[in-house]
Amino acid sequence: MMLAFRSRDVTVCERAPYTYVGYRTKCHLLIVGGLVRRHSTAAVLFNHAVAERLGLGPTDHKCLDLLRERGAMTGSELAAITGLTTGAITGVVARLERTGYLRREPDQHDGRKQILYPALERVRVIQDVFDPIRKDVSALLEGFDTHQLTAIADFLARSTDFAYRHAALLRAQTLCEPETRLQSPININTQKQQMKVQR
């Protein structure tokens, strides 16, 4: 039994044992141990390239993506979803509005709030950027049967939920236990130097 995953630049090919359990184990290890991480990295790099093409920063682009996916919302709601501060969201909104990708209107029920809307007239520009990869993915999916497509859709939906949940858990942990936040070697060295100066 042959298990093969091919991409443009890498071919991962593992000969699995002839037992079903062994085959499942190899599939599991290959997906969790490497392919998911590679897919995540490729997606991040691709979205950076999309943002550059649209004349946006990566954070601005993904905030816009959230508005397109979830619909109109307030700045505070967008901040809650992304984990960004309200000040950072204010900057994101200003840049998206300035480049024509977003519009804001007063909340009819609360004049103190503003509702953020993706600018529909700019959606075509975004779709044009995504069209090539959308066509490639559609062509790729043609090679799978109905059961496989159902499994792929289920995996993507549930793994996306996992990512949102674990992102929220990590943020909560960082807020509630700031002393456990991992620090870079640069920050650690800076703190040591500051302690020496204080002494």
Side-chain angles (χ1 to χ4, degrees):
M1 186 179 293
M2 185 69 74
L3 170 64
F5 295 88
R6 292 184 175 85
S7 71
R8 178 177 176 180
D9 56 342
V10 173
T11 298
V12 180
C13 187
E14 296 284 344
R15 185 171 296 279
Y18 289 102
T19 64
Y20 175 72
V21 174
Y23 179 73
R24 277 186 60 87
T25 300
K26 276 196 175 281
C27 283
H28 183 276
L29 292 175
L30 190 59
I31 293 170
V32 176
L35 291 177
V36 168
R37 185 175 66 251
R38 288 190 67 246
H39 181 272
S40 174
T41 301
V44 169
L45 295 176
F46 172 74
N47 280 289
H48 273 250
V50 169
E52 289 177 359
R53 183 65 176 167
L54 295 174
L56 301 173
T59 300
D60 299 351
H61 169 233
K62 296 319 292 181
C63 285
L64 177 61
D65 222 15
L66 283 168
L67 286 171
R68 293 178 62 218
E69 175 193 347
R70 304 193 181 196
M73 65 181 77
T74 64
S76 58
E77 289 170 336
L78 187 57
I81 295 171
T82 59
L84 296 172
T85 64
T86 53
I89 287 295
T90 299
V92 168
V93 170
R95 289 189 296 271
L96 288 175
E97 189 174 39
R98 187 167 59 247
T99 51
Y101 288 103
L102 174 146
R103 61 184 175 84
R104 45 184 167 177
E105 297 179 1
D107 187 335
Q108 295 181 352
H109 305 290
D110 186 346
R112 297 168 300 175
K113 297 181 180 179
Q114 290 187 321
I115 308 298
L116 310 178
Y117 298 85
L120 297 180
E121 60 272 16
R122 299 285 281 175
V123 170
R124 184 65 253 176
V125 175
I126 301 171
Q127 290 176 338
D128 288 344
V129 175
F130 277 96
D131 271 347
I133 194 170
R134 187 180 291 113
K135 290 177 181 177
D136 282 348
V137 172
S138 295
L140 177 64
L141 293 177
E142 289 296 325
F144 297 95
D145 61 30
T146 302
H147 294 295
Q148 290 171 322
L149 290 173
T150 300
I152 292 170
D154 183 56
F155 173 79
L156 288 174
R158 293 168 67 180
S159 61
T160 299
D161 290 341
F162 288 161
Y164 276 120
R165 180 161 61 88
H166 282 279
L169 289 172
L170 285 171
R171 290 196 192 100
Q173 185 179 13
T174 302
L175 289 172
C176 297
E177 305 172 11
E179 68 280 1
T180 65
R181 182 174 183 172
L182 299 179
Q183 298 186 25
S184 70
I186 295 176
N187 289 337
I188 293 174
N189 291 334
T190 301
Q191 287 184 354
K192 288 181 178 178
Q193 292 173 358
Q194 289 175 345
M195 289 175 66
K196 289 180 180 179
V197 172
Q198 290 174 357
R199 290 175 184 172

